[in-house]
DNA sequence: CGCTAGCACTCCCGGGACGCGAGTGCCAGT
DNA sequence: ACTGGCACTCGCGTCCCGGGAGTGCTAGCG
């Protein structure tokens, strides 16, 4: 059905269209890719590709542009991932090297990704399901208000305000010790199980307050902390001002909605490979003419979180995929090392 | 020079132009604001206003639009701040009521502000210069890596990774106690002074490590934590797609730069009043055709931080100013109460 | 049978002409 | 000091038209 030459032609159409942003015709195609056949032959092949749905004409007597299906085939079978240049690799590692804490690392990652892909970057905060709790603290802030603080082995800090009315410093200290000994050293999942038993061991005097605190603690442990998502490189959208309605506007709207972002990154597979979702393949209606390139990043075997970019379907897939992959790997490695 | 009627006309031009987004002519002006004079008279007055630089014609034989100077006069002398509707006030308080912690509060504030002004909202994290340190903790995360944690009376948490190679748990505990007793209860400013003395009191064995930790701690205390800025309502820019080059693009670029945002909010005065910076008055070149409406928010007498919105110069100043003012007050009150 | 050269056809796009309408400035009159 | 009237300006939408890029088809060639 599609012989080698037709695939070559499709590949040429995609790359040309991506770089020129204009429908590409048979003649220019032959010239630019010095094919060994005549424009007429190319036209015949293009007619077939069009029948099969890989390319379309915006209007009669215009060149062809790839359809989503065409991009899909291109991504699946035709492209080879471009290795990053040495300069780019070096940029990545120096960029990440200076990170001082988790927040900073995520901020740097998103900037880095936006910069090398020149698209809008999305990075989800790491979820360390296997991370162990290292520390639990209760701090009196003022009067009846306190804060419950959790620290885990990845350096992540969680906090939640709690009501500590009616407890003196000794009470707080006791409660803290009880909770701390029960919970420190275990994973969030284990901790949830362990906590239910703690309440019974509390001195009667602390029961009521303890129950409140434990409830908050359970929420904190169970609540999915992965909800946090950071976005960067939004000004890159200005490159697509001509597609305002189809690209800029829907992307801006999507970026404001954490839920949408989660779904966009959502089905990135665990295979370590990069997931590409093209146009209508996106789980979010308005992003019909954009693509999402996403990947899981992880340290060791523990799946951590996802990151990716959003851009027009008409993007440079080989470079973008390579960049996302590289950044995901570097971040994973960085996390593993600390 | 400018009699009452001319001011009325300027006021009418501004409000009409803001709502219609089209240059406004003498005839429509007379009709819509049922002025007691004829279009010809209005034209004469407009000629004067134009000479004085308050309005211009985009081209001969078109209506007039306000200049930055015109908006300035309008804001300074002509408008009266629209009180918010009851529904809006109620929306504000219910919106803020559910905040669980500082992060959440800031997030809610930015969403709220974006929603009621329908512009891009900017909120700076509160800086509590008078807040007291409540707690200091050193946690071993893994092997040689630790975290230094500070909690202050406003519920803010700061953290910094530290190298704790060569210290056992007892050392850590000692160091923690020393630092904690020295510092807890004082303001960041005082703490900086106090810390310099602490090093001498440390047992010789802890000197080297202690110096490192104290250095980090000093950085943490001195470093301006107000750098953090949150942005929201970016999709509101889509309303101004027609002014892509002058409004959307520069704003998107400004939003990416924390420093620029700080400068934009920068000179909001302490007077509790709202600052309006119109067009060329902005300290950032590319924002020539946008205005910034900003205010300080504070609990009690302690100045906390700033918040505001960015939008086209052609915006509804009375409503926007009222909204920014109201939100700033509510947030301040909320912070004061906890 | 696959490829190619030639050719007629389609249709987008940019530029020029044109009329409409909103708006202006000016002047004479009240 | 204001107003009515009037000639003038100019942006904007519409239409028309020619050029050009690109196509599909067909006949011919190896």
């Amino acid at each position: 059905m599609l012989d080698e030459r037709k695939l070559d032609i499709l590949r040429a159409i995609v790359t040309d269209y991506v770089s020129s942003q204009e429908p590409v015709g048979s003649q220019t195609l032959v010239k630019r890719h010095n094919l060994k056949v005549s424009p007429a032959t190319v036209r015949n092949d293009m007619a077939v590709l069009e029948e099969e749905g890989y390319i379309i004409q915006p209007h009669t007597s215009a060149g062809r542009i790839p359809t989503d299906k065409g991009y899909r085939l291109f991504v699946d079978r035709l492209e080879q991932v471009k290795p990053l240049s040495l300069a780019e690799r070096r940029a990545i590692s120096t960029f990440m090297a200076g990170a001082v804490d988790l927040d900073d690392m995520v901020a740097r990652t998103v900037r880095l990704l936006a910069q090398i892909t020149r698209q809008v970057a999305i990075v989800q905060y790491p979820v360390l399901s296997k991370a162990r709790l290292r520390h639990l603290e209760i701090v009196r802030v003022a009067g009846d208000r306190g804060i419950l603080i959790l620290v885990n082995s990845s350096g992540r800090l969680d906090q939640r305000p709690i009501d500590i009315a009616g407890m003196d410093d000794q009470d707080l200290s006791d409660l803290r010790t009880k909770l701390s000994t029960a919970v420190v050293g275990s994973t969030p999942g284990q901790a949830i199980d362990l906590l239910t038993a703690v309440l019974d061991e509390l001195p009667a005097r602390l029961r009521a307050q303890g129950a409140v605190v434990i409830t908050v603690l359970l929420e904190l442990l169970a609540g999915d902390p992965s909800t946090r998502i950071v976005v960067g490189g939004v000004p890159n959208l200005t490159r697509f001002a001509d597609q305002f309605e189809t690209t800029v506007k829907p992307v801006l709207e999507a970026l404001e909605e954490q839920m949408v972002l989660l779904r966009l990154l959502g089905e990135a597979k665990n295979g370590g490979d990069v997931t590409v979702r093209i146009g209508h393949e996106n789980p979010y209606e308005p992003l019909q003419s954009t693509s999402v390139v996403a990947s899981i990043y992880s340290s060791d075997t523990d799946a951590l979180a996802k990151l990716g970019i959003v851009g027009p379907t008409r993007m440079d897939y080989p470079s973008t995929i390579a960049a996302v992959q590289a950044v995901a790997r570097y971040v994973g490695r960085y996390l593993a090392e600390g």
Side-chain angles (χ1 to χ4, degrees), chain A:
Chain A
M1 185 122 323
L2 292 186
D3 56 23
E4 202 48 47
R5 192 183 61 206
K6 292 192 183 59
L7 293 180
D8 279 346
I9 290 174
L10 177 56
R11 180 185 297 119
I13 291 175
V14 171
T15 56
D16 264 31
Y17 180 62
V18 164
S19 72
S20 75
Q21 317 227 14
E22 275 170 10
V24 17
S26 53
Q27 196 157 346
T28 46
L29 211 51
V30 170
K31 273 182 195 157
R32 251 202 287 236
H33 295 263
N34 56 344
L35 304 179
K36 301 301 181 212
V37 293
S38 76
T41 310
V42 172
R43 280 204 289 280
N44 289 332
D45 285 354
M46 290 202 298
V48 175
L49 285 170
E50 183 160 12
E51 266 176 36
E52 304 284 334
Y54 294 106
I55 54 179
I56 54 163
Q57 289 180 288
H59 39 78
T60 346
S61 89
R64 305 304 216 288
I65 65 177
T67 61
D68 288 357
K69 188 178 172 188
Y71 285 122
R72 168 53 56 201
L73 185 61
F74 176 80
V75 168
D76 285 347
R77 299 192 37 203
L78 303 179
E79 62 155 345
Q80 38 205 16
V81 173
K82 277 187 205 161
L84 294 191
S85 71
L86 181 62
E88 283 173 314
R89 298 181 158 276
R90 199 172 291 154
I92 294 179
S93 51
T94 57
F95 212 92
M96 299 307 301
V100 300
D101 63 4
L102 197 66
D103 282 340
D104 192 32
M105 193 217 62
V106 172
R108 280 163 185 265
T109 304
V110 79
R111 247 182 299 157
L112 174 66
L113 196 54
Q115 189 180 312
I116 57 184
T117 63
R118 303 193 57 205
Q119 306 285 1
V120 177
I122 308 172
V123 177
Q124 183 183 13
Y125 260 74
V127 187
L128 303 161
S129 56
K130 291 186 184 165
R132 311 248 153 195
L133 300 180
R134 303 304 298 206
H135 196 82
L136 181 154
E137 194 66 44
I138 299 177
V139 179
R140 181 189 302 275
V141 166
D144 294 345
R145 294 188 297 131
I147 310 185
L148 178 69
I149 302 173
L150 274 183
V151 186
N152 72 25
S153 56
S154 71
R156 180 192 173 88
L157 235 86
D158 285 307
Q159 57 172 315
R160 205 45 71 89
I162 51 175
D163 182 2
I164 52 175
M167 300 174 83
D168 61 23
D169 287 350
Q170 187 58 46
D171 291 340
L172 282 183
S173 174
D174 288 351
L175 183 56
R176 190 203 84 90
T177 311
K178 283 269 188 246
L179 291 173
S180 186
T181 49
V183 141
V184 164
S186 51
T187 68
Q190 295 166 339
I192 290 177
D193 295 339
L194 292 169
L195 273 176
T196 51
V198 172
L199 191 55
D200 299 333
E201 298 170 14
L202 288 179
R205 169 173 65 83
L206 291 180
R207 282 287 160 77
Q209 288 297 330
V212 175
V213 174
I214 288 177
T215 308
V216 172
L217 188 51
L218 284 174
E219 279 173 16
L220 200 52
L221 289 168
D224 188 0
S226 69
T227 309
R228 285 174 69 193
I229 291 186
V230 177
V231 163
V234 185
N236 288 331
L237 285 177
T238 54
R239 290 193 293 137
F240 314 118
D242 51 327
Q243 317 159 51
F244 192 88
E245 282 298 318
T246 57
T247 303
V248 180
K249 186 172 173 179
V251 170
L252 282 181
E253 275 160 6
L255 292 181
E256 200 92 341
E257 299 277 353
Q258 300 266 323
M259 283 310 301
V260 170
L261 293 182
L262 275 178
R263 280 175 60 208
L264 286 182
L265 294 179
E267 298 176 30
K269 280 170 257 143
N270 210 336
D273 245 6
V274 174
T275 304
V276 180
R277 186 130 347 90
I278 298 165
H280 66 272
E281 299 169 9
N282 275 310
Y284 176 64
E285 272 291 324
L287 293 186
Q288 285 297 315
S289 35
T290 60
S291 290
V292 176
V293 178
S295 171
I296 286 191
Y297 66 93
S298 63
S299 69
D300 304 333
T301 53
D302 192 4
L304 290 183
K306 292 152 197 165
L307 54 76
I309 62 94
V310 196
T313 48
R314 168 221 293 167
M315 74 167 72
D316 180 353
Y317 290 98
S319 308
T320 307
I321 292 173
V324 170
Q325 196 169 51
V327 172
R329 280 187 191 151
Y330 271 85
V331 175
R333 196 180 310 164
Y334 179 86
L335 275 177
E337 291 171 3

